[in-house]
């Protein structure tokens, strides 16, 4: 893997593809879709190559591409991956490709749609690979406008949804978060004289000009909005409910992970002391997230909103694992990000299919769909079981690690958090029963099952969930390598 | 003779006269625009000759100085004027026979501003300020309809009041120090008033009020919305960038050269910090409610002046470089936005934001250009506006002005709402009719240049930052 700066190619291939799409004739939507699929597939293959070439026995940052960028402010162009980011890079590339397949039935302003999807992918990949804070921030913001437009143009139109409202809410929440991140970023630069995240992590940040605790929380806020952490989560159900299917997949699958990743890469890596002091608070926030999210999920009647709120609950486990500040808990947190990405991505893809075929997402209006769409019902069940943490599925592995990692540190919080599993089982099984396993309804007599093209993403995601569930070490070994620098600073 | 130091200004003056004469002789409007562009290009070429070590200098007994700081502004004015001329080639149809005067007066305003950049003596400064001011009042009323005339009169009256206040300030300073030369004033100001700063503070306050009008900061912003709305759109564009930059060049020169030493400097820096907060907050909050895009851009320009003032709230050199880079970014960005607005309002025959619905389908080039510039004004990367804010806020953090930076970023969040609101209208709205909007080649070229500048400064801001720092070094060693 020498020669080209592969990581830069990986990150910028989608945006180059977006420019290519702009040149294609608008009258040939199929060509646009095929081109988008080819580009994202290439990106996925590239990410796969990086995964195989990655040396998991080393804790070093690999595939580094570094160059001066803005010398007056000492900003560098610095890309690299370690065990922390690589799984998320692969996840992003995978979901990016599947999102294109899921979008195959988009027929409204096709060129713009796929171009925005590709720009979005560059933004997310950039966030996971940037090791300069300004570059990180830049990629963090690149995602804004495509996401806004994707929700606002292709989302649920009124009276079904409030796409413009939801899109604007997403935008304002995220910009508010990044505004605080920008202040924190400048305060950090003032204290360390560098934007290089690796150097910053090595610097002594105990006696900064601006109090370290303040910087920590300024930056944490941006990630808390993204993860999302209660009470800054209210944009998420709205955005999910009104987003088109593929965008929901990306949003739940990778965008939320930017929050968890940022907390680890920046908050915990740079301020282990502050994180240590505030760990009980973080754990409390996490438990509130898990339980509040799960309780609200229980009373959702809209399939998509249900999955959205379940995300709030499940991302609470990520925060819980981070709060433990130990190897097992942190590994669990990162693994939970990956597994939640695949499981929830799958669930949203399924909800999209159900809606396409039945034209409703209201659970009370559904029922007995298993008779008409056995394949979708089966996969939905697998995804549901994975989501509630059934052993042999990936959800079990990650949540188990989180609980094992946090129990010695916060006994009661862990028990409370683990009780969220019971609630999860409740809403998942109840939802499955009401939607799929009742008597057949006459109005769905002509509803068909998933087509071959629609089955591809489902099968791929189920396979991923099973592989990680049966053999989590494939991922955890990589994650562990990435966590070593953080752990050594935590002492 | 040091006459070569003002060759660019002389060429422009000549060009303005040529435009008027050619107009009298019945030249076509396109030819007049071409003549103006030619003049601007020659002036820029001559100004290039003055760039470099040992090239500049002081002329006319210290009244005029050509340093890096002055030159960066001269180029800014030349580029602004050039883009505005290119952008108005279609719009001038509305001037009904005074197109020649329009180009000529625009050039005169540019001459005035370039002299303002070089003036380091109060009489020269005041004269160039008035040359600019009177040109701008004329341009504002040029449409000769009710709104435009009202805007012109309003601008003239308030401008006259502000000039008077400024003159008072100059008079007080002259009385206190016995000189009108800024560099000679500095030692007297620094040494003479250690015990009692009150007279000096009075003079400073009067200068701030008089110049605050040019900057369009709170509380001297009242004229902005009406004048911006009533003025011909290309003139609004010119006001929003060139006039604002001209205000800043004078403020920076006067405050840093003549009044730049502590404890006085700490006093005015604190006042500017307060004005900065007030301007950005008022500008952004009121801009949200605007339904007319020119009024919205007016309030937006008040808010942007607020961000710029952050650089004056910190005394040292880095503050000046922050302001300079911000002004460069703001100029290309805001011009880009306005060029798109000029082209659109000409074809849509409306300045209402709701009439921009679905413009993306009718004019994808204009809509994407405008969208990028609006994002830059919000401060979203990768655009010039992002690095402008990063640079200037960074300076403030280094000076422990964290509260002002927090206020600045929160204001950016507020501003996202109305800037993106326009983008929403263009991309999401349903167009009333779907006929494509044609864009004349010069307008398209001007927009392309501005948008490219916005993007390039957003991706490779390094060189421009270095230039800004060097220029700041020539003002504040």
């Amino acid at each position: 893997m020498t020669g080209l700066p592969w990581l830069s190619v990986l990150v910028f291939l989608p945006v180059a593809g977006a420019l290519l799409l702009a040149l294609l004739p608008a009258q040939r939507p199929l060509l646009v879709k095929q081109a988008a699929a080819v580009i994202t597939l290439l990106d996925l293959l590239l990410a796969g190559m990086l995964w195989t070439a990655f040396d998991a026995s080393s804790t070093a940052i690999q595939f580094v591409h570094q160059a001066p960028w803005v010398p007056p402010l000492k900003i560098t162009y610095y890309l690299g991956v370690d065990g922390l980011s690589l799984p998320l890079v692969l996840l992003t590339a995978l979901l990016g490709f599947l999102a294109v397949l899921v979008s195959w039935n988009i027929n409204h302003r096709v060129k713009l749609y796929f171009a925005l999807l590709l720009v979005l992918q560059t933004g997310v990949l950039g966030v996971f690979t940037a090791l300069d804070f300004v570059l990180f921030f830049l990629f963090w913001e690149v995602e804004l406008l495509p996401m806004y437009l994707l929700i606002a143009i292709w989302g649920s139109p009124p009276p079904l949804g409030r796409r413009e409202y939801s899109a604007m809410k997403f935008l304002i929440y995220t910009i508010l978060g990044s505004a605080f991140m920008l202040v924190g970023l400048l305060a950090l630069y003032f204290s360390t004289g560098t934007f290089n995240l690796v150097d910053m992590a090595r610097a002594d940040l105990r006696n900064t000009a601006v109090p370290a605790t303040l910087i920590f929380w300024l930056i944490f806020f941006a990630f808390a909005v993204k993860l999302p952490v209660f009470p800054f989560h209210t944009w998420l159900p709205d955005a999910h409910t009104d987003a088109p299917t593929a965008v929901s997949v990306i949003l739940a699958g990778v965008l939320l992970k930017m929050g968890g990743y940022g907390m680890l890469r920046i908050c915990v890596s740079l301020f282990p002391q502050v994180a240590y002091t505030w760990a009980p608070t973080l754990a409390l926030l996490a438990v509130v997230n898990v339980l509040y999210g799960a309780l609200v999920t229980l009373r959702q009647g809209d399939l998509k909103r249900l999955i959205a709120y379940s995300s709030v609950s499940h991302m609470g486990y990520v925060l819980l694992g981070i709060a433990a500040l130990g190897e097992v808990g942190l590994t669990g947190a990162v693994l939970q990000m990956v597994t939640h990405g695949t499981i929830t991505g799958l669930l949203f893809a399924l909800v999209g299919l159900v809606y396409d075929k039945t034209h409703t997402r209201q659970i009370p209006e559904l029922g007995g769909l298993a008779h008409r769409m056995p394949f979708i019902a089966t996969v939905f069940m697998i995804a549901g079981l994975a989501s509630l943490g059934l052993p042999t599925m990936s959800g079990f592995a990650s949540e188990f690690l989180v609980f094992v990692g946090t129990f010695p540190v916060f006994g009661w919080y862990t028990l409370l958090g683990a009780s969220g599993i019971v609630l999860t089982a409740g809403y998942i099984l109840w939802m499955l029963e009401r939607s799929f396993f009742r008597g057949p309804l006459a109005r769905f007599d002509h509803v068909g099952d998933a087509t071959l093209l629609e089955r591809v993403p489902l099968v791929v995601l189920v396979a991923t969930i099973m592989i990680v569930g049966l053999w989590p070490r494939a991922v955890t070994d990589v994650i562990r390598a990435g966590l070593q620098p953080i752990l050594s600073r935590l002492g | 003779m040091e006459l070569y130091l003002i060759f660019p200004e002389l060429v422009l003056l000549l060009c303005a006269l040529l435009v008027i004469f050619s107009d009298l002789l019945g030249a076509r409007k396109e030819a007049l625009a071409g003549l103006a562009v030619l003049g601007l290009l020659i002036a820029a070429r001559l100004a290039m000759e003055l760039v470099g070590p040992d090239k500049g200098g002081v002329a006319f007994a210290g009244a005029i100085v050509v340093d890096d700081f002055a030159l960066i502004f001269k180029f800014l004015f030349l580029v602004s004027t050039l883009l505005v001329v290119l952008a108005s080639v279609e719009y001038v149809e509305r001037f009904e026979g005074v197109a020649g005067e329009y180009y000529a007066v625009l050039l005169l305003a540019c001459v005035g501003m370039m002299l303002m950049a070089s003036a380091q003596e109060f009489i020269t400064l005041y004269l160039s300020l008035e040359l600019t001011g009177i040109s701008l009042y004329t341009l504002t009323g040029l449409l000769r309809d009710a709104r435009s005339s009202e805007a012109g009169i309003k601008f003239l009256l308030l401008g006259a009041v502000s000039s008077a206040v400024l003159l008072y300030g100059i008079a007080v300073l002259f009385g206190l120090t016995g000189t009108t030369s800024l560099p000679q004033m500095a030692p007297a100001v620094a040494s003479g008033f250690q015990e009692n700063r009150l007279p000096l503070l009075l003079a400073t306050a009067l200068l701030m009020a008089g110049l605050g009008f040019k900057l369009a900061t709170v509380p001297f912003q009242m004229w902005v919305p009406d004048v911006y709305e009533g003025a011909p759109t290309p003139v609004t564009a010119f006001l929003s960038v060139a006039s604002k930059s001209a205000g800043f060049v004078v403020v920076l020169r006067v405050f840093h050269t003549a009044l730049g030493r502590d404890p006085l400097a700490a006093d005015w820096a604190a006042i500017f910090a307060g004005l900065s907060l007030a301007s950005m907050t008022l500008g952004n909050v009121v801009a949200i409610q605007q339904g007319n895009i020119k009024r919205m851009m007016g309030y937006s320009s008040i808010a942007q002046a607020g961000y710029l003032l952050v650089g004056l709230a910190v005394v040292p050199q880095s503050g000046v470089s922050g302001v300079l880079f911000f002004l460069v970014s703001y100029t290309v960005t805001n011009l880009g936005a306005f060029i798109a607005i000029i082209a659109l309002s000409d074809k849509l025959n409306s300045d209402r934001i709701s009439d921009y619905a679905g413009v993306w389908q009718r004019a994808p080039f204009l809509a994407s250009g405008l969208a990028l510039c609006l994002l830059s004004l919000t401060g979203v990367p990768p655009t010039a506006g992002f690095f402008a804010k990063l640079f200037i806020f960074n300076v403030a953090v280094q000076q422990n002005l964290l509260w002002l930076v927090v206020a600045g970023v929160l204001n950016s969040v507020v501003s996202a709402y109305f800037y993106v609101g326009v983008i929403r209208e263009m991309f999401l709205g349903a167009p009333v009719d779907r006929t494509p909007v044609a864009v004349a080649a010069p307008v398209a070229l001007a927009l392309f240049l501005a948008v490219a500048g916005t993007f390039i400064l957003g991706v490779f801001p390094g060189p421009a930052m270095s230039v800004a720092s060097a220029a700041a070094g020539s003002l504040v060693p």
Side-chain angles (χ1 to χ4, degrees):
Chain A
M1 296 294 294
T2 47
L4 277 174
W6 289 107
L7 214 47
S8 296
V9 176
L10 175 81
V11 171
F12 287 101
L13 182 66
V15 83
L19 292 176
L20 179 78
L21 290 196
L23 300 175
L24 292 177
Q27 304 86 342
R28 305 203 32 204
L30 188 64
L31 186 67
V32 173
K33 290 174 191 175
Q34 286 163 341
V38 169
I39 291 156
T40 46
L41 182 62
L42 280 177
D43 220 32
L44 174 59
L45 292 176
L46 204 55
M49 276 163 58
L50 290 179
W51 178 275
T52 46
F54 184 81
D55 178 7
S57 62
S58 153
T59 62
I61 289 162
Q62 300 177 34
F63 313 118
V64 169
H65 186 201
Q66 200 169 6
W69 178 25
V70 187
L73 288 177
K74 287 183 253 168
I75 303 170
T76 50
Y77 175 84
Y78 184 9
L79 294 185
V81 285
D82 59 6
L84 201 58
S85 44
L86 188 61
L88 294 168
V89 168
L90 189 60
L91 176 73
T92 308
L94 175 69
L95 290 180
F97 172 59
L98 297 181
V100 171
L101 297 189
V102 168
S103 315
W104 217 255
N105 56 1
I106 294 276
N107 286 313
H108 175 58
R109 296 164 86 174
V110 177
K111 268 170 65 170
L112 186 62
Y113 176 88
F114 284 97
L116 291 174
L117 214 51
L118 289 172
V119 174
L120 188 61
Q121 186 165 344
T122 287
V124 180
L125 286 171
V127 166
F128 290 139
T129 51
L131 290 169
D132 179 280
F133 207 160
V134 175
L135 191 62
F136 176 93
F137 187 83
L138 188 140
F139 282 124
W140 181 274
E141 300 262 285
V142 160
E143 149 258 350
L144 274 178
L145 193 69
M147 200 63 194
Y148 170 79
L149 291 174
L150 282 168
I151 297 174
I153 300 182
W154 292 273
S156 324
L160 270 176
R162 298 180 296 171
R163 55 187 178 189
E164 291 192 20
Y165 164 83
S166 299
M168 188 53 101
K169 193 167 175 183
F170 161 83
L171 187 89
I172 295 295
Y173 265 75
T174 311
I175 290 198
L176 186 65
S178 33
F180 284 104
M181 183 170 15
L182 189 66
V183 179
L185 176 158
L186 290 172
L188 261 175
Y189 179 62
F190 182 31
S191 304
T192 59
T194 176
F195 283 119
N196 185 322
L197 285 172
V198 180
D199 290 348
M200 275 183 185
R202 289 198 199 106
D204 181 17
L205 289 170
R206 269 169 300 186
N207 291 310
T208 45
V210 183
T213 314
L214 179 64
I215 306 181
F216 176 91
W217 285 107
L218 282 170
I219 299 174
F220 184 86
F221 177 71
F223 300 139
V225 169
K226 202 87 203 174
L227 191 64
V229 175
F230 176 89
F232 312 113
H233 66 285
T234 61
W235 62 271
L236 179 98
D238 285 329
H240 264 309
T241 313
D242 292 329
T245 302
V247 175
S248 285
V249 171
I250 297 283
L251 179 58
V254 294
L255 285 194
L256 305 187
K257 278 67 198 177
M258 288 162 41
Y261 171 77
M263 287 177 188
L264 278 171
R265 171 69 72 203
I266 295 168
C267 293
V268 176
S269 296
L270 267 51
F271 302 102
Q273 257 66 18
V274 183
Y276 198 75
T277 315
W278 291 89
T281 311
L282 297 182
L284 180 65
L285 285 172
V287 171
V288 170
N289 239 43
V290 169
L291 294 181
Y292 172 83
L295 287 171
V296 178
T297 313
L298 270 174
R299 57 173 296 279
Q300 297 305 315
D302 181 312
L303 265 183
K304 233 176 166 182
R305 245 184 141 73
L306 187 144
I307 311 290
Y309 270 111
S310 83
S311 284
V312 176
S313 174
H314 281 111
M315 294 316 278
Y317 292 127
V318 174
L319 187 56
L320 189 61
I322 291 174
L325 297 172
E327 177 164 11
V328 182
L330 290 175
T331 312
V334 180
L335 188 63
Q336 170 74 354
M337 290 201 261
V338 177
T339 60
H340 176 268
T342 49
I343 295 169
T344 310
L346 178 57
L347 283 169
F348 274 118
L350 287 162
V351 172
L353 285 178
V354 170
Y355 177 74
D356 281 350
K357 300 191 188 290
T358 63
H359 303 289
T360 180
R361 293 189 314 241
Q362 299 304 317
I363 299 174
E365 293 175 17
L366 299 167
L369 284 178
H371 301 271
R372 295 288 158 233
M373 36 177 85
F375 185 82
I376 291 180
T378 312
V379 180
F380 217 128
M381 204 162 74
I382 296 174
L385 294 177
S387 176
L388 62 83
L390 193 76
T392 74
M393 309 251 192
S394 57
F396 170 76
S398 55
E399 284 169 19
F400 186 72
L401 281 173
V402 169
F403 296 140
V404 171
T406 51
F407 187 71
V409 195
F410 319 103
W412 275 107
Y413 285 156
T414 311
L415 289 180
L416 277 171
S419 67
I421 300 256
V422 181
L423 296 172
T424 309
Y427 62 71
I428 292 281
L429 295 176
W430 194 30
M431 176 269 291
L432 286 172
E433 191 266 334
R434 285 187 292 168
S435 314
F436 290 96
F437 301 110
R438 288 190 173 172
L441 290 175
R443 66 171 175 273
F444 295 138
D445 274 353
H446 305 288
V447 169
D449 207 344
T451 63
L452 196 61
L453 183 69
E454 289 164 350
R455 289 183 191 203
V456 175
L458 306 187
V459 172
V460 172
L461 285 172
V462 168
T464 321
I465 291 168
M466 299 299 259
I467 292 170
V468 178
L470 291 171
W471 192 40
R473 279 200 56 182
V475 186
T476 52
D477 280 352
V478 174
I479 296 174
R480 275 213 183 86
L483 288 173
Q484 291 318 312
I486 298 180
L487 291 167
S488 67
R489 278 177 57 80
L490 282 166
Chain B
M1 272 296 274
E2 310 110 333
L3 200 61
Y4 73 97
L5 287 174
I6 57 161
F7 270 170
E9 285 87 345
L10 292 176
V11 164
L12 275 192
L13 199 60
L14 204 65
C15 182
L17 297 175
L18 263 179
V19 168
I20 290 181
F21 280 117
S22 319
D23 191 30
L24 284 178
L25 298 175
R28 293 175 49 215
K29 292 188 193 76
E30 291 79 11
L32 298 177
L35 198 57
V37 168
L38 191 69
L40 288 161
L41 288 177
I42 294 175
R45 180 68 194 83
L46 289 171
M48 291 287 274
E49 290 294 315
L50 301 172
V51 178
D54 315 321
K55 292 283 186 61
V58 179
F60 309 114
I64 290 284
V65 60
V66 176
D67 50 11
D68 285 353
F69 175 77
L71 281 169
I72 196 172
F73 275 97
K74 292 189 184 197
F75 284 115
L76 216 50
F77 297 138
L78 287 169
V79 169
S80 309
T81 316
L82 182 71
L83 291 181
V84 170
V85 168
L86 286 177
S88 6
V89 288
E90 285 187 301
Y91 197 94
V92 288
E93 298 298 332
R94 302 188 175 206
F95 291 139
E96 292 164 11
V98 289
E101 285 82 346
Y102 166 73
Y103 289 123
V105 178
L106 201 59
L107 292 176
L108 287 179
C110 184
V111 172
M113 290 174 179
M114 289 171 73
L115 287 173
M116 276 158 88
S118 275
Q120 60 168 357
E121 190 269 335
F122 266 125
I123 305 295
T124 317
L125 195 120
Y126 184 76
L127 289 176
S128 44
L129 209 100
E130 285 303 288
L131 172 59
T132 311
I134 293 167
S135 309
L136 292 176
Y137 310 145
T138 317
L139 287 171
T140 302
L142 213 55
L143 279 179
R144 292 180 293 177
D145 57 16
R147 311 269 343 212
S148 175
S149 307
E150 184 200 324
I153 293 290
K154 200 165 198 170
F155 196 17
L156 168 71
L157 290 177
L158 288 171
V161 172
S162 83
S163 293
V165 173
L166 180 68
L167 266 186
Y168 272 125
I170 294 174
V172 174
L173 264 185
F174 176 67
L176 292 173
T177 61
T179 173
T180 56
S181 153
L182 299 179
Q184 288 170 26
M185 213 174 256
V189 167
S191 60
F193 301 90
Q194 293 296 349
E195 307 298 298
N196 183 8
R197 295 209 304 283
L198 214 56
L200 263 183
L201 280 176
L202 173 70
T204 311
L206 288 169
L207 288 181
M208 265 187 189
L211 294 170
F213 175 84
K214 312 283 173 206
L215 305 182
T217 71
V218 172
F220 315 106
Q221 88 296 356
M222 259 79 84
W223 58 278
V224 170
D226 289 342
V227 171
Y228 273 42
E229 188 186 352
T233 316
V235 176
T236 310
F238 193 64
L239 281 177
S240 75
V241 293
S243 176
K244 196 173 292 278
S245 303
F248 271 98
V249 72
V250 174
V251 169
L252 289 172
R253 175 88 71 195
V254 169
F255 281 80
H256 280 289
T257 307
L259 313 169
R261 298 195 203 169
D262 282 331
L264 187 65
D267 290 336
W268 57 255
I271 299 175
F272 276 128
L275 293 184
S276 160
L277 176 67
S279 280
M280 56 174 116
T281 311
L282 182 121
N284 282 321
V285 170
V286 183
I288 289 180
Q289 311 150 5
Q290 303 305 315
N292 179 302
I293 197 157
K294 280 159 80 179
R295 280 185 93 84
M296 187 203 93
M297 291 301 283
Y299 282 106
S300 144
S301 86
I302 295 170
Q304 300 284 337
Y307 302 132
L308 277 158
L309 282 182
V310 172
L312 274 153
V314 291
V315 188
Q317 188 188 344
S318 52
V320 180
S321 45
V323 174
L324 290 181
F325 182 73
F326 200 111
L327 274 177
V328 172
S329 306
Y330 170 74
T331 299
V332 288
T333 302
N334 221 43
L335 272 178
F338 262 110
I339 294 165
I341 293 170
I342 292 168
L344 284 172
S345 71
D346 207 38
K347 295 292 157 30
L348 303 175
N349 238 322
S350 162
D351 290 323
R352 298 209 54 79
I353 296 173
S354 52
D355 288 335
Y356 278 53
V359 157
W360 156 255
Q361 271 129 320
R362 304 177 60 188
F365 175 57
L366 293 179
S368 357
L370 182 51
L372 187 95
C373 292
L374 291 172
L375 286 180
S376 178
L377 288 173
T378 318
V380 174
T383 58
F386 167 67
F387 278 109
K389 279 186 185 159
L390 185 77
F391 199 34
I392 208 161
F393 288 160
N394 179 44
V395 175
V397 171
Q398 313 270 345
Q399 299 291 322
N400 273 321
L401 277 175
L402 202 63
W403 64 271
L404 193 55
V405 175
V406 170
V409 297
L410 288 180
N411 262 291
S412 306
V413 178
V414 175
S415 74
Y417 186 78
F418 61 85
Y419 289 130
V420 176
V422 178
I423 299 179
R424 174 181 63 194
E425 212 53 77
M426 292 192 299
F427 281 74
L428 309 184
V432 184
D433 71 304
R434 295 182 169 272
T435 44
V437 174
V439 190
V443 182
L445 174 69
L447 181 59
F448 174 77
L449 290 175
V451 169
T454 306
F455 185 70
I456 290 170
L457 284 173
V459 180
F460 298 109
M465 280 181 188
S466 304
V467 170
S469 300
S474 78
L475 180 72
V476 189

